[in-house]
């Protein structure tokens, strides 16, 4: 794979969305009203996917781009549970609670900053209000191995959790020190063993490339060591450096961040590494063992993308619960407030903590389908899009097809009569290749402080 001219590719390093949604979260606004949101909740019929955000962390990992509340006060954590319950009560008033729950996810923050009995209390309460959980439901939690014990694992087992994602990030000592996250491999190993002992069949580990002091050599070692964990899935995220949004990222000396060509080399190496170690690449930043259902989904064309990355459960109505959580229906996105005071005040007043969102126009709906197909399958079946959306693809997307020419000329994309296909090397630039289909991109073209860089 040494034939790629990474220096040349560096020119593609520009701000671009990660497309966990389309329109992106930057388009969420207050024109999408509370009443509209309620209307969607009350009329939706799809199966349910519940996302519960537990935002607290003990200390800051400086790279972190998630919505986090740092605290060491136990009272804050327990108060939040009381508010979550109020929110669940209100949701249950507006949602047909006989609808089947096919997915449940605890995200964070650090969900396991909560004690076992508190996690039990939260899940038990939600199950009491939304009782119809599918036998096949995917029930998962993000876990920081530094905060994880057997009592918590027992609670997860009791409630049928079948998927755990561990944050690892990087295994190099110098990198760990710089990102303010010391986490020896042995500690992660113990966490993984604990999950396996309790029958968790799908274990994911998260890594990030693009962090301070990472080089191709240090990352090779990290990948080598990661095999000792034998994860079923691995996510290797491109570090999203957005210091204008995330204060702790300002602690990094930007001259220590790897340059775009080094990042590309690292990621290309990562792809080759996992493919020669029995994993298959899934979407832009995941790898899965061939027996993992994520991989099976690609072959069946059932891989979908949402706020949690890639999933096999497409078409569900995602309901976001907790501070900053995002919900997604066929025709809308809805996000809760990011301000704890506002969150509490809304619930005290008997209202959902909904703040903003977007209702998808026909154009949004079509572009969402196209962009998500690209992000999930690295190809677009133009004929299928034409049949499903009643358009002439090449006319409707004339601008986008023209913009794709530079990728065609660089052998990164092929366009035939029926299909747009991204080459293996092109997958490194999938965000760039999706951008021409994004109607909002022009608006951001001038602004440097919007999205993280694609490379
Ligand atoms: C790998 C998982 C990540 C999640 N969020 C981020 C990462 C790296 C960080 C991130 N997400 C967004 C941005 C800014 C724009 C961009 O670079 O693409 C960054 C740095 C987009 C975004 N994703 C979500 C929201 C609400 C936004 C907009 C930023 C904002 O206003 O908050 C939703 C979301 N994505 C992730 C989580 C955990 C999450 C919400 C709970 C994963
Ligand atoms: C949920 C996962 O998101 C990843 N994560 C958190 N912050 C960032 C960021 N700024 N850039 C890329 N990935 C990030 C971590 O790998 C975490 O485990
Ligand atoms: S990476 Fe995880 S543990 Fe670290 S600050 Fe972010 S949410 Fe908290």
């Amino acid at each position: 794979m040494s034939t790629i001219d990474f220096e040349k590719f560096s020119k593609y390093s520009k701000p671009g969305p990660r497309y966990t949604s389309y329109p992106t979260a930057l388009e969420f606004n207050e024109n999408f009203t509370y009443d509209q949101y309620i209307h969607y909740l009350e009329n939706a019929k799809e199966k349910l996917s519940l996302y519960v955000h537990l935002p607290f962390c003990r200390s800051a990992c400086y790279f972190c781009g998630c919505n986090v509340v740092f605290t060491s006060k136990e009272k804050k954590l327990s108060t939040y549970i009381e508010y979550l319950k109020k929110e669940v009560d209100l949701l249950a008033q507006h949602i047909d609670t006989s609808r089947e729950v096919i997915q449940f996810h605890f995200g964070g923050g650090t969900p396991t900053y909560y004690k076992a009995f508190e996690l039990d209390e939260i899940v038990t309460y939600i199950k009491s209000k939304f009782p119809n959980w599918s036998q096949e439901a995917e029930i998962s939690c993000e876990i920081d191995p530094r905060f994880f014990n057997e009592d918590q694992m027992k609670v997860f087992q009791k409630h049928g959790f079948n998927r755990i994602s561990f944050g690892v990030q990087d295994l190099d000592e110098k990198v760990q020190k710089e990102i303010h996250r010391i986490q020896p491999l042995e500690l992660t190993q113990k966490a993984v063993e604990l999950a396996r002992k309790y029958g968790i069949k799908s274990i994911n580990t998260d890594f990030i490339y693009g962090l301070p002091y990472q080089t191709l050599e240090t990352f090779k070692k990290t990948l080598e060591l990661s095999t000792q964990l034998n994860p079923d899935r691995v996510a290797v995220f491109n570090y999203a450096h957005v210091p204008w949004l995330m204060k702790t990222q300002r602690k990094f000396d930007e001259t220590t961040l790897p340059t775009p060509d080094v990042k590309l080399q690292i990621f290309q190496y990562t792809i080759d590494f996992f493919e020669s170690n029995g994993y298959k690449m899934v979407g832009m930043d995941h790898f899965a063992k061939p027996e993992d259902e994520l991989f099976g989904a690609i072959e069946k064309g059932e891989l979908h993308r949402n706020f949690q990355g890639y999933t096999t459960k497409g078409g569900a109505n995602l309901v976001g619960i907790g501070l900053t959580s995002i919900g997604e229906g066929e025709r809308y996105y809805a996000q809760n407030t990011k301000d704890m005071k506002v969150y509490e005040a809304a619930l005290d007043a008997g209202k959902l903590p909904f703040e903003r969102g977007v209702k998808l126009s026909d154009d949004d709906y079509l572009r969402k389908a196209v962009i998500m197909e690209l992000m999930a399958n690295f190809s677009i079946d133009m004929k299928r899009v034409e049949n499903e959306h009643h358009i002439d693809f090449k006319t409707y997307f004339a601008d986008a097809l023209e913009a794709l020419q530079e990728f065609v000329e660089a052998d990164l994309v092929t366009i035939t009569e029926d299909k747009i296909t991204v080459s293996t090397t092109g997958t490194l630039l999938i965000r760039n290749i999706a951008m021409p289909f994004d109607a909002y991109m022009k608006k951001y073209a001038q602004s440097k402080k919007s999205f993280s860089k694609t490379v």
Side-chain angles (χ1 to χ4, degrees):
M1 278 298 184
S2 53
T3 51
I4 302 168
D5 185 348
F6 292 111
E7 296 268 353
K8 198 178 88 198
F9 270 38
S10 300
K11 74 173 180 196
Y12 297 111
S13 171
K14 59 179 178 185
R18 303 159 51 86
Y19 294 118
T20 48
S21 74
Y22 182 84
T24 68
L26 292 185
E27 292 305 318
F28 297 180
N29 63 68
E30 278 154 28
N31 297 331
F32 182 77
T33 63
Y34 190 88
D35 290 342
Q36 277 177 308
Y37 180 42
I38 297 287
H39 179 83
Y40 278 115
L41 288 180
E42 290 183 346
N43 290 286
K45 301 213 164 27
E46 304 99 318
K47 294 178 178 177
L48 289 167
S49 169
L50 305 178
Y51 172 83
V52 182
H53 193 67
L54 302 178
F56 303 102
C57 286
R58 180 73 181 81
S59 71
C61 310
Y62 294 158
F63 61 80
C64 185
C66 302
N67 290 306
V68 182
V69 176
F70 299 106
T71 188
S72 51
K73 298 197 179 77
E74 291 192 8
K75 183 84 185 83
K76 275 203 178 181
L77 277 77
S78 56
T79 302
Y80 185 72
I81 297 181
E82 295 315 310
Y83 281 97
L84 276 180
K85 289 181 179 170
K86 290 185 201 220
E87 188 180 359
V88 171
D89 286 342
L90 282 168
L91 286 167
Q93 285 172 25
H94 293 292
I95 295 173
D96 170 4
T97 56
S98 69
R99 287 162 64 196
E100 197 176 27
V101 176
I102 56 165
Q103 210 176 20
F104 177 91
H105 184 76
F106 265 144
T110 301
T112 51
Y113 197 11
Y114 276 99
K115 296 198 170 72
F117 79 91
E118 294 172 309
L119 293 168
D120 189 17
E121 187 180 340
I122 299 168
V123 185
T124 303
Y125 196 80
I126 294 171
K127 283 185 168 173
S128 76
K129 298 285 167 169
F130 290 87
N132 187 17
W133 289 39
S134 158
Q135 285 296 317
E136 273 90 55
E138 180 183 306
I139 310 174
S140 59
C141 185
E142 288 172 9
I143 292 184
D144 180 338
R146 299 170 303 167
F147 296 84
F148 183 40
N149 62 44
E150 190 152 1
D151 288 340
Q152 292 166 327
M153 190 56 236
K154 283 181 182 157
V155 168
F156 291 141
Q157 185 191 44
K158 169 181 150 188
H159 287 292
F161 279 65
N162 45 32
R163 210 173 273 284
I164 283 180
S165 178
F166 290 106
V168 184
Q169 325 306 356
D170 191 288
L171 292 164
D172 182 84
E173 260 179 59
K174 185 166 180 189
V175 175
Q176 287 195 358
K177 191 156 170 262
E178 194 64 16
I179 63 177
H180 201 232
R181 180 174 176 132
I182 306 294
Q183 183 180 325
L185 177 63
E186 298 69 39
L187 187 138
T188 309
Q189 258 165 334
K190 287 212 174 86
V192 171
E193 277 161 25
L194 182 58
R196 288 232 164 82
K197 179 174 150 198
Y198 281 82
I200 300 293
K201 295 248 161 27
S202 180
I203 292 178
N204 175 84
T205 50
D206 284 345
F207 292 86
I208 304 177
Y209 73 100
L211 293 173
Y213 294 114
Q214 273 177 349
T215 63
L216 182 57
E217 291 314 310
T218 70
F219 208 71
K220 277 183 182 175
K221 282 208 197 98
T222 286
L223 292 177
E224 207 55 64
L225 290 170
S226 78
T227 59
Q228 293 184 30
L229 303 167
N230 193 20
D232 305 282
R233 288 181 191 177
V234 184
V236 183
F237 296 116
N238 181 354
Y239 169 51
H241 187 57
V242 284
W244 56 92
L245 292 176
M246 303 294 164
K247 242 191 185 150
T248 60
Q249 295 184 352
R250 293 175 208 161
K251 296 197 183 272
F252 293 154
D253 171 357
E254 288 182 352
T255 64
T256 65
L257 299 175
T259 52
D261 64 311
V262 172
K263 284 179 74 176
L264 282 162
Q265 284 178 47
I266 290 177
F267 198 57
Q268 182 63 58
Y269 182 85
T270 302
I271 296 173
D272 296 343
F273 179 85
F274 283 114
E275 302 234 320
S276 58
N277 278 280
Y279 293 80
K280 296 275 181 196
M281 190 173 177
V282 180
M284 73 167 185
D285 42 27
H286 281 69
F287 302 89
K289 291 196 177 162
E291 55 274 18
D292 190 287
E293 67 169 7
L294 210 49
F295 177 64
I298 309 180
E299 303 198 311
K300 287 187 245 155
E302 287 174 1
L303 185 68
H304 298 270
R305 186 157 174 81
N306 68 13
F307 280 104
Q308 283 127 51
Y310 291 95
T311 172
T312 57
K313 310 266 190 221
N317 179 192
L318 178 59
V319 177
I321 306 171
L323 197 72
T324 77
S325 290
I326 295 177
E328 174 181 0
E330 196 186 8
R331 285 277 182 167
Y332 74 90
Y333 292 101
Q335 184 170 28
N336 280 349
T337 174
K338 296 182 176 185
D339 183 325
M340 189 66 90
K341 290 239 154 32
V342 176
Y343 178 77
E344 293 177 354
L347 290 161
D348 282 334
K351 295 194 90 183
L352 287 171
F354 163 86
E355 184 175 82
R356 57 194 192 126
V358 62
K359 175 180 184 299
L360 273 62
S361 67
D362 288 341
D363 180 68
D364 292 333
Y365 185 67
L366 164 60
R367 289 174 189 271
K368 176 182 175 183
V370 169
I371 289 174
M372 294 304 165
E373 187 174 340
L374 253 184
M375 299 303 292
N377 301 323
F378 299 141
S379 68
I380 301 170
D381 182 340
M382 290 187 276
K383 283 284 165 276
R384 205 182 74 209
V385 174
E386 290 187 338
N387 291 335
E388 286 174 7
H389 296 266
H390 315 291
I391 53 145
D392 179 69
F393 195 100
K394 289 187 176 167
T395 310
Y396 198 98
F397 289 112
D399 287 5
L401 291 171
E402 197 184 310
L404 281 187
Q405 277 311 311
E406 72 166 303
F407 299 103
V408 173
E409 281 156 24
D411 285 330
L412 300 169
V413 171
T414 331
I415 305 179
T416 61
E417 200 42 39
D418 296 347
K419 232 174 157 176
I420 299 175
T421 313
V422 179
S423 74
T424 311
T425 310
T427 60
L428 293 171
L429 298 171
I430 191 66
R431 290 161 66 187
N432 299 68
I433 292 166
M435 274 152 67
F437 294 95
D438 180 341
Y440 300 95
M441 239 14 247
K442 292 186 190 80
K443 193 162 105 187
Y444 300 117
Q446 304 309 320
S447 160
K448 285 206 163 64
K449 296 195 170 179
S450 52
F451 304 103
S452 57
K453 289 197 177 138
T454 53
V455 178

